[in-house]
């Protein structure tokens, strides 16, 4: 072999090692928490937080690979939990659905996990199904919100779909669960966009929340859409590529229901230009052409500020746990400073930061083929138990 060829092979291997980040070692999650009692409950029920998170050895230390595999493959050997679909008619004419899954094993407490998926996702998303099945096996009832427009089998019946900050849909599901299961305690769990919605819902003063809601868990959200979109518009760390994928997913939902969302009457009422919507290559462009007009915002910046959970932190009254991965390619570290500060200044709040895991990946174990249950799935189930225990401790306190 020629020296040039061997050099090329060496360069390719070095690049692969760099991308896969194989030199990294498993690390314990870092936890920010002011409240010693809350932290004690968290560690007692979720001892996994005291242990190193061990991703698949070959590729699991790369946030990009974890994120891409999560988006394309989802989970390995994913179960398909059996549930019932609940239909609700909202005041604005929207048809809201959520899928309800009963516990597979009996538990002393009646706990319902209200789940809000990520952008354009639903109960049919693989990562949601995996978590639901594990939660069912641990004795929890689960309810999964289907973002309006996300399900192909459910037609849009009003002139809107989901947005980044529209919490009314999640609130309607929670209230319906409260009325249906009066003796059940509810824990809200949100993934990515859903994490933002859950946090915003918990911090909205004008929304009356049922007393049965005992706390919430947010996973992989960015907290500040105003600053987050600026980062996503950069090509650094391939963020612009991920933004393009998200834009196409949302755009496909709009175009799938164009007979309702883009009817002549709707386009006239909101001054919509269908060509601009189709041509949008980024979420800010799509939001300028569609979202902010439908929701009557003067600018996308106003829309993003209204949507960002960061601006509702101070009004949160219930216990909250936040989780992010340091190598999440969609969420730069600069966006994580506010949540660290918040967790170290507020009672009943914890922020967990994992060195690896990507965006909603958190695959665990093995060299090439990961375990069927991810670190995130089993940690979330334990965290639900921690919030239940925290409330029980509070009840017993003099």
């Amino acid at each position: 072999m020629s020296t040039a060829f061997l050099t090329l092979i060496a360069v390719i291997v070095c690049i692969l090692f760099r991308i896969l980040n194989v030199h990294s070692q498993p690390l314990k999650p870092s936890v920010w928490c002011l409240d010693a009692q809350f932290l004690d409950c968290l560690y007692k029920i979720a001892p996994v937080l005291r242990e190193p998170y061990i991703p698949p050895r070959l590729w699991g230390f790369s946030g990009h690979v974890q994120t891409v595999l999560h988006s394309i493959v989802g989970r390995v050997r994913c179960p398909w939990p059996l549930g019932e679909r609940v239909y609700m008619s909202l005041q604005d004419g929207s048809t809201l659905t959520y899928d309800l899954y009963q516990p597979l094993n009996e538990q002393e407490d009646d706990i319902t996990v209200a789940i809000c998926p990520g952008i354009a996702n639903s109960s049919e998303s693989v990562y949601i199904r995996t978590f639901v099945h594990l939660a069912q096996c641990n004795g929890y009832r689960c309810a999964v919100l289907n973002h309006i427009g996300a399900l192909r089998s459910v037609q849009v019946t009003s002139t809107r779909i989901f947005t980044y900050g529209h919490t009314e849909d999640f609130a309607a599901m929670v209230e319906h669960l409260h009325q249906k299961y009066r003796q059940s305690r509810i824990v809200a769990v949100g993934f990515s966009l859903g994490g933002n919605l859950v946090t915003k819902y918990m911090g909205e003063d004008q929304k009356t929340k049922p007393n049965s809601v005992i706390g919430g868990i947010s996973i992989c959200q960015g907290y500040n859409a105003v600053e987050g979109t600026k980062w996503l518009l950069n090509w650094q760390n391939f963020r612009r590529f991920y933004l393009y994928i998200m834009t196409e997913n949302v755009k496909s939902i709009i175009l799938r229901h164009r007979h309702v969302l883009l009817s002549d009457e709707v386009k006239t009422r909101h001054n919509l230009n269908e060509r601009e919507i189709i041509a949008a290559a980024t979420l800010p462009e799509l939001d300028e052409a569609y979202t902010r007009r439908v929701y009557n915002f003067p600018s996308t910046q106003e829309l993003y500020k209204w949507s960002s959970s960061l601006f509702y932190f101070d009004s949160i009254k219930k216990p909250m746990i936040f989780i992010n991965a340091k190598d999440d390619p969609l969420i730069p570290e600069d966006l994580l400073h506010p949540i660290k500060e918040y967790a170290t200044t507020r009672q009943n709040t914890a922020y967990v930061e994992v060195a690896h895991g990507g965006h909603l990946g958190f695959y665990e174990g093995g060299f090439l083929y990961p375990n069927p249950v991810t670190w995130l799935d089993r940690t979330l189930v334990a965290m639900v138990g921690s919030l239940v225990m925290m409330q029980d401790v509070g009840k017993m306190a003099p």
Side-chain angles (χ1 to χ4, degrees):
M1 292 186 184
S2 66
T3 304
F5 181 74
L6 291 174
T7 302
L8 177 62
I9 295 296
V11 169
I12 293 174
V13 170
C14 288
I15 292 173
L16 285 175
F17 268 68
R18 175 82 175 180
I19 293 174
L20 296 177
N21 206 20
V22 293
H23 64 279
S24 295
Q25 296 299 317
L27 296 172
K28 295 179 182 179
S30 300
V31 181
W32 282 257
C33 185
L34 172 69
D35 192 330
Q37 186 182 50
F38 187 78
L39 185 61
D40 182 59
C41 286
L42 191 58
Y43 280 140
K44 190 171 293 185
I45 306 299
V48 63
L49 296 177
R50 294 185 182 271
E51 305 164 359
Y53 160 54
I54 305 176
R57 179 70 258 182
L58 180 62
W59 50 265
F61 291 93
S62 168
H64 288 294
V65 176
Q66 289 242 24
T67 301
V68 171
L69 281 180
H70 156 74
S71 301
I72 298 175
V73 178
R75 299 291 189 248
V76 296
R77 297 200 296 274
C78 177
W80 194 285
L82 299 177
E84 62 171 310
R85 180 154 295 165
V86 179
Y87 291 78
M88 300 172 59
S89 296
L90 304 185
Q91 289 185 349
D92 66 354
S94 299
T95 298
L96 179 68
T97 68
Y98 70 88
D99 283 24
L100 186 63
Y101 305 90
Q102 300 299 335
L104 297 177
N105 295 309
E106 290 188 9
Q107 194 184 66
E108 183 179 344
D109 296 314
D110 188 328
I111 308 298
T112 301
V113 184
I115 302 168
C116 192
I119 189 168
N121 291 165
S122 68
S123 60
E124 297 178 357
S125 300
V126 176
Y127 70 97
I128 296 294
R129 286 160 40 199
T130 308
F131 171 62
V132 165
H133 179 72
L134 186 62
Q136 285 181 288
C137 291
N138 280 269
Y140 298 137
R141 178 187 301 108
C142 293
V144 184
L145 178 73
N146 296 311
H147 288 303
I148 291 179
L151 289 175
R152 293 180 178 274
S153 58
V154 179
Q155 291 297 311
V156 168
T157 57
S158 69
T159 58
R160 71 169 181 89
I161 58 171
F162 69 93
T163 69
Y164 322 117
H166 189 93
T167 60
E168 281 75 6
D169 298 342
F170 184 74
M173 180 182 77
V174 170
E175 180 60 32
H176 196 260
L177 290 169
H178 172 67
Q179 297 296 331
K180 191 178 181 70
Y181 302 103
R182 285 289 189 173
Q183 303 304 314
S184 183
R185 287 183 280 181
I186 300 174
V187 176
V189 176
F191 295 85
S192 191
L193 167 74
N196 180 77
L197 289 170
V198 163
T199 307
K200 184 172 183 279
Y201 165 75
M202 300 293 274
E204 288 178 323
D205 284 331
Q206 68 273 25
K207 282 193 175 66
T208 303
K209 298 160 201 56
N211 292 330
S212 55
V213 177
I214 65 172
I217 306 172
S218 159
I219 308 100
C220 291
Q221 67 156 306
Y223 306 99
N224 188 344
V226 177
E227 295 300 320
T229 49
K230 295 177 184 177
W231 283 96
L232 287 171
L233 287 170
N234 294 328
W235 281 103
Q236 182 183 2
N237 215 19
F238 302 105
R239 291 192 185 98
R240 186 71 177 252
F241 169 74
Y242 293 112
L243 179 63
Y244 173 76
I245 299 299
M246 289 188 289
T247 305
E248 290 302 304
N249 287 339
V250 177
K251 193 196 303 181
S252 68
I253 291 176
I254 296 172
L255 297 180
R256 186 189 312 152
H257 302 284
R258 69 201 304 170
H259 62 288
V260 176
L261 302 177
L262 299 178
S263 66
D264 291 340
E265 188 271 330
V266 172
K267 286 191 288 188
T268 301
R269 189 200 318 164
H270 297 294
N271 192 25
L272 302 177
N273 186 319
E274 190 168 343
R275 289 185 178 180
E276 291 179 357
I277 294 171
I278 295 173
T282 66
L283 282 178
E285 291 178 5
L286 184 60
D287 292 332
E288 172 59 35
Y290 178 77
T291 314
R292 71 102 179 160
R293 298 172 186 271
V294 171
Y295 281 90
N296 299 313
F297 282 91
S299 68
T300 54
Q301 292 301 297
E302 289 295 321
L303 167 67
Y304 294 154
K305 184 175 181 180
W306 171 80
S307 300
S308 300
S309 66
L310 172 65
F311 303 107
Y312 299 83
F313 279 0
D314 292 339
S315 298
I316 295 176
K317 304 295 191 301
K318 304 284 186 177
M320 287 290 299
I321 302 173
F322 301 90
I323 306 173
N324 283 93
K326 198 172 180 180
D327 67 350
D328 188 332
L330 275 71
I331 315 294
E333 287 189 59
D334 285 12
L335 295 182
L336 303 180
H337 297 319
I339 188 58
K340 293 177 184 177
E341 182 180 348
Y342 177 74
T344 53
T345 56
R346 291 290 294 262
Q347 297 291 320
N348 298 328
T349 305
Y351 169 64
V352 179
E353 186 174 275
V354 191
H356 307 286
H359 191 76
L360 299 179
F362 298 97
Y363 295 95
E364 186 176 34
F367 179 77
L368 176 63
Y369 199 75
N371 300 335
V373 177
T374 68
W375 178 91
L376 181 61
D377 293 330
R378 62 191 187 96
T379 301
L380 284 178
V381 169
M383 285 179 171
V384 171
S386 298
L387 291 174
V388 173
M389 179 183 178
M390 186 63 191
Q391 195 202 33
D392 290 339
V393 170
K395 286 180 179 178
M396 291 186 292

